[in-house]
Amino acid sequence: MSGPLVIVGDSLLDVDVEGTADRLAPDAPVPVVEEQAEHHRPGGAGLAALLAARDGTRVVLITAMGDDPSGRCLEGLLSPGVEIVRLPLRGTTVRKTRVRARGQTLVRIDTGDGRALGRPGQVASASAFARAADALAAASAVLVADYGRGVADLLREPLRGLDVPLVWDPHPRGSLPVPGCALVTPSEAEARGMCEEPYVSPERTARRLVRDLDAEAVAITLGERGAMLARRGGRFGPVPVPHVASGTDACGAGDRFAAAAALALADGTSTEDAVARAVGEATRFVEEGGAAALRLPRPAAESPVPFAPGASAFEAAAAVRAAGGRLIATGGCFDLLHAGHVSLLRRARALGDALVVCVNSDDSIRRLKGPSRPLVSERDRVEVLRALGCVDAVTVFDEDTPSRVIERLCPDVWVKGGDYDERSMPEAEAVRRAGGEVVILPTVPGYSTTGLIAAARAAS
């Protein structure tokens, strides 16, 4: 992928109130839920963006959010892992609250009436629409997650005629996809509503929708039965699940499916293979507990920092573990800090509750890079990194690899940029011994310290 995955659609705030229900209320035959925890996460297009970003992809989300508590919480949950192009919203951000006990949803309460507001020519929203157009022009693929609240309608014209794969995940309250989509991904119930003829079977409906929507392909998702794929020219067939998922909460599975399919198409995968990959990812998602199993760090404005400002990396790591949090760590020279570094650090921080950066000492860099490096001393490199809002603590190591400091920190996730792979990473074994996992995040094209130094020398 040379450009980001751009997701266009309506975002909302999902809240799960988890508790126990062991008795009925004395004044009505309803269960009494004793709350034990409350979890917040993005919903709608926001969930699709979050899931794609957690795969290590650069994601730009074009959506509408209100300047209200739910909107600010939603933005905090998405940042810094997702780049947001924010369109204006009329009304309040939609919030969907599920009250759950022992894994079962008892009731859902919906609040908020927000709809996307504005037109490209209006002065108040011209800047946002210009940013949206720029994002679409730079995309490797586009996913429309239409939840019927106006974002897709506002961008309908720019979405026509894109020269990159366009995946459209429809909604009963939304508009029909624009002609020429690479893939349309309705559920079986949504497909019934979109097709003008009486419903007979997924095969017939998928083939009819390819013609009616002028789409390259339609994949009707069928839950535990997988999907039915039809392509232009009459080709069709079932895409089975790799195995039956043991999970029972399918909330968010459609977003997982659509995001996985869009990412696969962006990588040049065939439609058949993209849908097969999406079925597999959605199956695993449900098996792991669906959206309800996502545990996101609370936005900084909403939760107290679990360690004192200025704490050492090891004090921060201990405090995060004691609080049941998820510790992320990464490492490198960070000589001449540039936008590629900042993007990597922001996306790494979005994977957990705190980010520790392990920095090569000056002596370590000289051994690895030669006597002319580093250009910036370790003291100054540490000072710059500590000033970044996405970095919680910094530590310096003098060895050639960060293996020893990793064994002390015991991070849940060790992050490196896409110019590495786990097999060639000397510290990977130390990460595994410490009980963590390695995550490779794509680098931002066009940025490297070596390239910047060469350019500066050529210009001097």
Side-chain angles (χ1 to χ4, degrees), residues 88-421:
L89 188 80
R90 180 178 62 246
T92 57
T93 305
V94 174
R95 172 182 172 129
K96 297 184 177 181
T97 302
R98 298 193 304 172
V99 180
R100 293 163 51 83
R102 303 187 187 278
Q104 298 295 318
T105 299
L106 303 180
V107 65
R108 196 181 88 182
I109 304 166
D110 291 2
T111 58
D113 57 355
R115 287 190 62 85
L117 172 68
R119 291 290 174 186
Q122 292 179 345
V123 175
S125 55
S127 175
F129 278 99
R131 290 183 61 210
D134 290 344
L136 290 171
S140 289
V142 176
L143 166 62
V144 175
D146 185 6
Y147 277 74
R149 292 191 172 269
V151 173
D153 291 337
L154 290 181
L155 295 172
R156 195 167 183 84
E157 287 307 314
L159 290 168
R160 293 178 182 269
L162 292 174
D163 58 1
V164 296
L166 172 60
V167 177
W168 197 292
D169 191 17
H171 190 277
R173 296 181 179 176
S175 302
L176 290 176
V178 299
C181 288
L183 181 65
V184 182
T185 62
S187 66
E188 189 168 17
E190 290 162 349
R192 288 174 184 264
M194 296 169 68
C195 192
E196 294 181 357
E197 67 179 23
Y199 186 83
V200 176
S201 66
E203 300 95 324
R204 183 168 175 174
T205 300
R207 294 166 67 186
R208 179 60 184 266
L209 287 176
V210 167
R211 296 192 300 270
D212 290 351
L213 302 176
D214 190 20
E216 292 295 327
V218 171
I220 299 177
T221 56
L222 304 171
E224 63 183 18
R225 292 176 290 149
M228 177 58 62
L229 173 64
R231 298 194 61 192
R232 192 189 296 273
R235 291 172 291 170
F236 69 95
V239 182
V241 297
H243 58 274
V244 177
S246 57
T248 58
D249 191 346
C251 179
D255 297 300
R256 176 70 243 175
F257 179 94
L263 287 171
L265 291 173
D267 287 335
T269 305
S270 69
T271 303
E272 290 88 345
D273 289 344
V275 172
R277 185 185 301 181
V279 168
E281 292 294 339
T283 301
R284 280 188 286 274
F285 183 72
V286 173
E287 197 164 46
E288 291 168 0
L294 294 176
R295 294 293 180 263
L296 306 181
R298 288 182 180 270
E302 293 194 0
S303 62
V305 178
F307 45 87
S312 74
F314 304 103
E315 290 170 338
V320 171
R321 279 194 295 273
R326 181 176 168 89
L327 180 67
I328 313 301
T330 188
C333 299
F334 297 100
D335 200 8
L336 289 185
L337 192 72
H338 53 67
H341 290 139
V342 175
S343 174
L344 176 73
L345 294 171
R346 290 174 65 235
R347 286 178 286 148
R349 178 61 176 83
L351 298 175
D353 295 280
L355 173 63
V356 172
V357 180
C358 306
V359 180
N360 293 73
S361 70
D362 291 349
D363 289 340
S364 174
I365 293 178
R366 279 190 282 270
R367 290 195 300 270
L368 294 171
K369 304 286 187 179
S372 64
R373 299 281 299 275
L375 299 181
V376 180
S377 71
E378 67 185 59
R379 178 178 177 178
D380 290 345
R381 287 183 284 123
V382 168
E383 188 71 17
V384 171
L385 285 166
R386 281 178 174 159
L388 297 177
C390 55
V391 174
D392 296 285
V394 181
T395 188
V396 177
F397 64 93
D398 196 45
E399 297 78 20
D400 291 344
T401 77
S403 296
R404 185 176 297 178
V405 74
I406 287 170
E407 290 173 350
R408 288 188 63 193
L409 285 172
C410 296
D412 296 287
V413 179
W414 176 256
V415 172
K416 291 294 284 185
D419 46 351
Y420 291 84
D421 64 72

Side-chain angles (χ1 to χ4, degrees), residues 45-77:
L47 178 60
L50 175 72
L51 295 174
R54 286 167 73 94
D55 286 339
T57 303
R58 183 185 168 208
V59 177
V60 177
L61 171 64
I62 303 174
T63 192
M65 295 182 190
D67 187 17
D68 51 56
S70 292
R72 290 190 289 272
C73 179
L74 178 56
E75 185 174 18
L77 290 168

